[in-house]
Amino acid sequence: MTVDTPGAAAAASPATHAHDNYLTAGRGLLSWLFTLDHKRIGVMYLVGILSSFFLGGVFALLVRTELLTPGPTIMTADTYNKMFTLHGAVMIFLFIIPGIPATLGNFVLPLMLGAKDVALPRLNLASFWLWMIGAVVAVASIIMGAVDTGWTFYTPYSTTTGTAVISMTLGAFILGFSSIFTGLNFIVTVHKLRPEGMTWFKMPLFVWGIYSTAIIQVLATPVLGITLLLLIAERTLGVGIFDPALGGDPVLYQHFFWFYSHPAVYIMILPAMAIMSELMSVFSHKHIFGYRFIAWSSIAIAVLSFLVWGHHMFTSGQSGLANMVFSALTFSVAIPSAVKVFNWLATMYKGSISLDTPMLYALSFLFLFSIGGLTGLFLGALATDIHLHDTYFVVAHFHYVMFGGTVIAFLGGLHYWWPKLFGRMYSERWGRIGALLIFVGFNVTFFTQFVMGSHGMPRRYYNYLEQFKPYHQASTYGSYLLSLGFVVVAGYLLHSLFRGEKAPNNPWGGATLEWETSSPPPSSNFAHEMLAGDPYDIESLRFDPETRGYVRKDPGSVLLTRVGA
Amino acid sequence: MTALRTVGEMSVLLAQGTDGSFWMPPGVSTVARHVDWLFNFILAISVFFFLLIVVVMTLFVIRYRRRAGAGAEASATHHTGLELTWTIIPVILVAVIFFFGFKGYLDMSTAPANAYEILVDGQKWNWSFTYPNGYVDSNLHVPVDRPVRLVMTSADVIHSLYVPAFRIKQDVVPGRYSKAWFEAMEPGEYELFCAEYCGTSHSGMIATVVVHPPGEFEIWLEKASNFLETMTPVDAGRKLFQVRGCLQCHSVDGTAKVGPTLLGVFGHSQALADGSSVTVDENYVRESILEPMAKVAAGYEPVMPTYQGRLKDAEIMAIIEYLKSLSGNG
Amino acid sequence: MTSHSESHHDPHLAHHFESPAQQYQSARLGMWVFLVTEILFFGGLFCAYAVYRANHPEIFIFGHHFLDKGLGAFNTVVLICSSLTIAWAVRAAQLKQIRILKLMISLTLVCAFTFLGVKYVEYSHKWHAGLLWARSYAPQVDHGDGDHGATPESVQMAAPAGGESAAGATAAPAQPAPATAATPDHSNIAPAATGPAGLAVEAAGGGDEVVAEPKNAQTFFSIYFLMTGLHGIHVLGGIGAMFWLLFCARRGDFDTGHFTKVDMVALYWHLVDLIWIYLFLLLYLIH
């Protein structure tokens, strides 16, 4: 495959062939359900995951509506307990854990590597089917009486309650395997499918982030698997590992559970940070600052995340020594995150900043994740955590990092790669409106929760004392505003699929390889073999007013040129 | 520095308990001052860094906004000195935070030697506090200015005892004892919550901590403990009914709660879950208290805990008399 | 740079790989990562074993007497042999010795079934003796007078085990419940045998009975069944994989350069064998 002239590469890209992309190659439901194309799998995941987010969001709104008044509002206590459990379980197991890796990761990772697919496409499809099956089994629990244990399933309550715990935990177990296989696939892909010239320190930071996430997925999720299996065995057979009445230890369950679930939160945030590195560079039109430090900080977070699970258990009765060790280690994991934030800011310095919608989300991330991360300091310190544990302060903290962090970054990434996925541009004006509504609504919803938490409002409370009413009401009204923001976002994104302007190959000026192919890409991803250069060499691009996109000043520079056959 | 000045100001206020602030409720225990100080210290650091990040971000957005035709200015893509600076300074800060957090925790988890010991039983969904003389109450009465040590266990699932005003919290676990301690510095009444989700009425599992002024605690305890001698059986039964957790699930005004109402049931027929029926007499009441699973009322869940070993015969008699009074009998 | 002209016509080479070498290495890395996840999966159970054994060694010393070392050792030898035969199968596939390949896989299957058979014998013995996991633990003790219907109460109970430390220990000395489990929400949890001064429960029974079975002996059997059960499920999985290999071999899938599937199944099988060896050591050979 030779290249004749520098200009031929751009012209030869199949952007103009309307039928020659992955969306249109092969029709019918079965061609999607049995596809091996990572891009189609990514899109199917996107549909599933966004639906799960919607479902989890509905539960959240029901919870918040119940909390409009101090007493019973629209449901009984038992129903309320099921609502918050389902909100947590659906959001965590169906939405946020698969979240960015399964959707954007699946779609973008091979493209960034100039590859034709992930290393193990059939395993990828299996991951998706497992996600679907796990989701069905988990959601079936709703019909079977739902679960009222909280998403943490603490024993002995979870082993003795009459609700559909087995269905939900079995669903989560299956979903865990989906997560493991996705992580496994990404590890092999990053190790084996990098193109010519892409050494480890020439990979895009998005790849570093997804890779670090995959390490956690692979090492931590099996522990969740065995924990859930033990829970199911406890309920069905009475194996007595966690039940004090049978000689077991309920606090052991907490150790098992959090050994996975703490690393799990880094499964949630690392991909978000990975997206941030891309957005910060591209929308500042400037090389990323501190590449190596950002890359290593992802690995550091992955490693350190396994050492801090006990900070969820400071009041559980574990020893003072354990408390001390976990507290000290917890602070260590804050440092790499801070390093990333400073490097992103430095990327903006002397940049040329465009405030397109993806960048608005990136800036929101900086604001919201900073609050989320800093409030983690209060919780890592022993003396303050005793007071704040199991209050709304914790609820606010994790929503700031998971929602204000991960979901916001997910939205940023979705808006960034939307043109690549679907070949369409969305309305920038509505994009800004949506981002603003979400930003304001989010803060109103969750900032109030910090204050009521430090004032002593415990979490998972159906009724509450009168003095907390103003906070709860403000929070609920904020949640309605937040939901409105999402309705707006869903609206214009869906609209863009049918009426959006056709997207150029590279609308934003990114230097990573996915922007070298058409929007949307053909099934085989690239028309030519790609050569990896510096993924942040933004300087090598210039804006082309004709296509309303960016092109390489030297198109041949990214192609693996060959002479002869 | 702002932090140190704040510390100076706080220490004036911290001679007694702490006043409430935007963030915290009034703190009346000896540890509250340290907890609040640490909270404010971390808050100061957090606000500083948050403003630093957001202000810099905003300034950059304004200063380096994309202008038509102009790209980014040339600048370094990395700077090791900068990286080290913004790594090392946070490391020092978090080490300081950790140190004060740990130090405060050591105080919070080590009870003084002469602490007054009260046993705590958590169960779904009420608290029982057993005083050294054996008296059991559903609220926590303590003397002011005296360390109090709580020795706690659960009868069923994990609960957590939380008193925001004292800044204390400790999980209450079945099958083992856990401990907490505090010393209250101001008389008054304070809320005690359950802080570990435990089922249907988790949010109803609230008790009151009554801190008695000097000299009054002993008087209260004596009066309360002798209620069987000093009160009529009906009044004693009513008190037991209220403090031993019965009211949590059984109303006396006709409303059905987790358990059936006990208004007007004594002496009448009660339908049972297995289809039969029984007359609510002294025997049935006693059996229901000691073996609640034996004859469950129709339409209700079998969730009542047993009071075997927890109620004396004289107390059961008093409760029976009280229930009779609710039917206009006796 | 690799030449693509020959490779791309190789029917075994998936379209997204540059070369058969890349494809093989990807499969191998993938399988190794999978094995790591399996180690972590079992790791949880090994951790539970470690915690309970550290806190209550007497339970393990008591319980392991009920495991037949001879059968355990036999099973260990059987699995080690099966690892040999499956490794031989890989070699046979490499050398395109399809008949030997099929023979070796079949022998491995024989070993696997033998293993499961022995486990069935062990499990059924425990079933009849009532030596099951916690809730179903109802030991039938033969008093020598032909009384086979001994109830749990007739099993000699020890005085409260002295091995419990104070604050924070796993102190949950409930009576082993009979087969009808504790009714929900009815607490039958006794307070810890060791509590703070003034609250400790008096030692039950005065300790004058013969000290035989420690409190919570059922925990050993819970752990035994959980660990060997999970391992057994993995053996079944391996059996399924080997039947699939036989089917592929019949179909003519394997060749000198294309034996990845056999290699991968063999790797998995070796891990299954290795885990069993640890189980044998930790459950059967306790001193």
Side-chain angles (χ1 to χ4, degrees), chain A residues 164-249:
Chain A
V165 174
I166 292 180
S167 170
M168 176 61 84
T169 47
L170 195 59
F173 181 82
I174 298 170
L175 289 165
F177 275 99
S178 172
S179 185
I180 290 172
F181 290 146
T182 300
L184 193 159
N185 219 335
F186 286 168
I187 289 175
V188 179
T189 304
V190 172
H191 275 272
K192 297 295 176 190
L193 260 56
R194 272 173 291 120
E196 195 79 30
M198 192 184 278
T199 59
W200 281 86
F201 288 100
K202 286 222 179 134
M203 297 194 313
L205 288 168
F206 181 74
V207 179
W208 274 102
I210 296 289
Y211 178 75
S212 308
T213 307
I215 292 178
I216 305 179
Q217 281 175 292
V218 153
L219 295 179
T221 319
V223 180
L224 176 74
I226 196 67
T227 305
L228 295 176
L229 212 57
L230 284 174
L231 203 58
I232 294 173
E234 187 91 5
R235 277 184 76 88
T236 50
L237 302 170
V239 292
I241 296 293
F242 305 130
D243 188 351
L246 292 170
D249 180 3

Side-chain angles (χ1 to χ4, degrees), chain B residues 149-184:
Chain B
R149 186 158 171 261
L150 302 175
V151 177
M152 315 187 279
T153 189
S154 164
D156 41 37
V157 298
I158 300 182
H159 301 276
S160 190
L161 186 140
Y162 176 38
V163 184
F166 297 171
R167 314 286 191 262
I168 60 162
K169 182 184 289 116
Q170 184 65 39
D171 283 6
V172 175
V173 183
R176 67 165 77 174
Y177 288 110
S178 56
K179 292 143 214 122
W181 83 274
F182 61 87
E183 178 177 334

Side-chain angles (χ1 to χ4, degrees), chain B residues 118-129:
Chain B
I118 298 175
L119 304 185
V120 182
D121 266 287
Q123 68 177 34
K124 294 189 276 190
W125 291 281
N126 70 297
W127 299 98
S128 290
F129 301 95

